[in-house]
Amino acid sequence: MGTLLPTCEPSLPQLRPRGRSSWWTEWRRGVPAPARAGAQSPSGVASASASAEGLRKGIAEFYDESSGLWERVWGDHMHHGFYDPHAPASLADHRAAQIRMVEEALSFAALSDDPQKKPKRIVDVGCGIGGSSRYLAKKYGAQCKGITLSPVQAQRAEALAIAEGLADKVSFQVADALEQPFPDGQFDLVWSMESGEHMPDKRKFVGELARVAAPGATIIIVTWCHRDLLPSESSLRPDEINLLNKICTAYYLPAWCSAADYVNIAKSLSLEDIRTADWSENVAPFWPAVIRSALTWRGFTSLLRSGWKTIRGALVMPLMMEGYNKKLIKFAIITCRKPE
């Protein structure tokens, strides 16, 4: 599949936060190198492989630990909601907004409800506890396979599918999105809702989505990105990189890239009908709502029981808001189609 495109490499050497507080020291001991800053030793392939394995382990453990808390507070859709940026969001609206996110993504990609054209075989890449998988399977009457790095998520997704009478429609397994356990050309909808940000090799990630897509299939990627660079810029500013690094620390994220980088990757893979949009304004109410939910008694006590990784993630949620407010962090959708 090749390596990451140059435009998706970190814009500058990643910066270490000033000072070494106790959490930073603990993180340096426990978090895999790819989430730190392009840390690779001169030993080459072997060290890169070890780093990738460490990142996979960290992501799996993070979601093993935090998914139960998320489900108790927010339900089975483990992603942002889609809001009207000009209307206040009520507390009761947040779960409905997560469903709107799914529907808006399908609409943006021009998925057809025509029985002859609707998808029949779907893969949910980074499926969480299977909220999107079950929703899409019911909406289209399709067979859906979900993959996640988290054994806890896969087990819970299977249990929810059985409870909803969907065991014959959806299935879940532990697998790496960069090495999917599926043959070429199997799916006519390839769905990735907020998993791309965890991928250390964005080109290989999109390449795998394209590989498992059937000819003519639609690919939908909804993901966190950094802002597009200006024509006069060769990198993000150091203060921007430092902010992103702090977020990477908590959420097990490798190098960020922009929506424009995703478009360039899709073009390089000869994908067609490439479209993208910035939905940052539409998700703006989400992180304040998550923070408010954590400050309730139920949210606070559940957070304390969840473990250090989840607590650390909660502590940097204000940084996500800061990144959005500074227009550094973008919430992007990228859709395309595999040639017939």
Side-chain angles (χ1 to χ4, degrees):
M1 295 290 181
T3 57
L4 202 62
L5 286 180
T7 51
C8 279
E9 292 288 0
S11 302
L12 285 174
Q14 304 250 16
L15 302 180
R16 178 180 301 175
R18 296 179 183 275
R20 291 192 181 184
S21 63
S22 58
W23 70 263
W24 171 252
T25 303
E26 179 173 340
W27 175 77
R28 287 287 296 186
R29 293 192 191 106
V31 174
R36 296 198 300 264
Q40 288 189 10
S41 74
S43 58
V45 174
S47 65
S49 176
S51 296
E53 180 57 35
L55 179 60
R56 286 191 291 270
K57 182 174 183 290
I59 294 168
E61 290 176 350
F62 176 77
Y63 285 108
D64 281 351
E65 184 179 287
S66 62
S67 294
L69 168 61
W70 184 272
E71 183 184 0
R72 285 191 296 275
V73 178
W74 283 86
D76 62 348
H77 286 274
M78 301 185 68
H79 57 76
H80 284 68
F82 189 97
Y83 303 85
D84 179 348
H86 306 295
S90 68
L91 184 61
D93 187 49
H94 292 304
R95 292 196 184 190
Q98 291 175 305
I99 299 297
R100 282 200 300 276
M101 174 62 72
V102 175
E103 287 291 345
E104 290 289 337
L106 296 171
S107 177
F108 185 82
L111 260 289
S112 176
D113 287 329
D114 183 328
Q116 301 303 315
K117 297 180 181 178
K118 65 183 181 180
K120 297 178 178 61
R121 296 161 298 155
I122 301 171
V123 62
D124 184 357
V125 179
C127 62
I129 58 173
S132 292
S133 298
R134 292 186 297 277
Y135 185 87
L136 295 170
K138 287 185 282 191
K139 179 180 178 68
Y140 294 117
Q143 296 289 323
C144 187
K145 296 182 181 295
I147 59 172
T148 173
L149 289 176
S150 165
V152 169
Q153 286 187 335
Q155 184 177 15
R156 181 58 179 155
E158 289 281 4
L160 288 171
I162 293 169
E164 294 181 23
L166 292 170
D168 62 332
K169 288 289 188 183
V170 295
S171 62
F172 303 93
Q173 65 188 99
V174 176
D176 187 346
L178 300 184
E179 298 176 2
Q180 295 184 38
F182 308 119
D184 296 356
Q186 184 168 353
F187 303 102
D188 43 28
L189 173 58
V190 177
W191 175 270
S192 170
M193 176 63 72
E194 294 186 47
S195 63
E197 55 270 17
H198 284 297
M199 307 300 166
D201 187 333
K202 302 297 192 288
R203 179 181 172 86
K204 187 173 184 181
F205 168 56
V206 180
E208 273 292 271
L209 300 183
R211 181 186 67 78
V212 300
T218 296
I219 299 170
I220 299 177
I221 304 169
V222 183
T223 187
W224 310 354
C225 294
H226 67 61
R227 65 174 177 83
D228 291 342
L229 298 180
L230 300 173
S232 60
E233 293 178 311
S234 60
S235 69
L236 295 173
R237 300 191 306 269
D239 64 296
E240 293 176 319
I241 296 171
N242 195 42
L243 176 59
L244 294 183
N245 279 353
K246 292 176 183 178
I247 295 169
C248 290
T249 299
Y251 294 135
Y252 292 86
L253 305 178
W256 294 56
C257 72
S258 68
D261 294 328
Y262 272 109
V263 170
N264 289 336
I265 292 171
K267 288 179 178 177
S268 75
L269 295 170
S270 300
L271 298 172
E272 300 176 345
D273 299 336
I274 304 165
R275 301 177 62 216
T276 186
D278 178 3
W279 283 355
S280 301
E281 286 191 7
N282 299 100
V283 304
F286 182 76
W287 283 100
V290 173
I291 292 172
R292 287 195 299 272
S293 72
L295 296 177
T296 64
W297 178 249
R298 179 186 180 191
F300 182 70
T301 55
S302 296
L303 180 63
L304 291 180
R305 290 195 299 267
S306 295
W308 165 244
K309 292 182 176 64
T310 307
I311 293 170
R312 185 177 56 197
L315 291 175
V316 302
M317 287 190 293
L319 298 183
M320 289 294 296
M321 290 178 59
E322 180 182 347
Y324 277 123
N325 291 337
K326 290 181 174 180
K327 301 188 184 305
L328 166 63
I329 294 175
K330 297 293 184 179
F331 190 89
I333 180 170
I334 306 97
T335 64
C336 53
R337 186 174 56 82
K338 187 171 181 176
E340 294 281 0

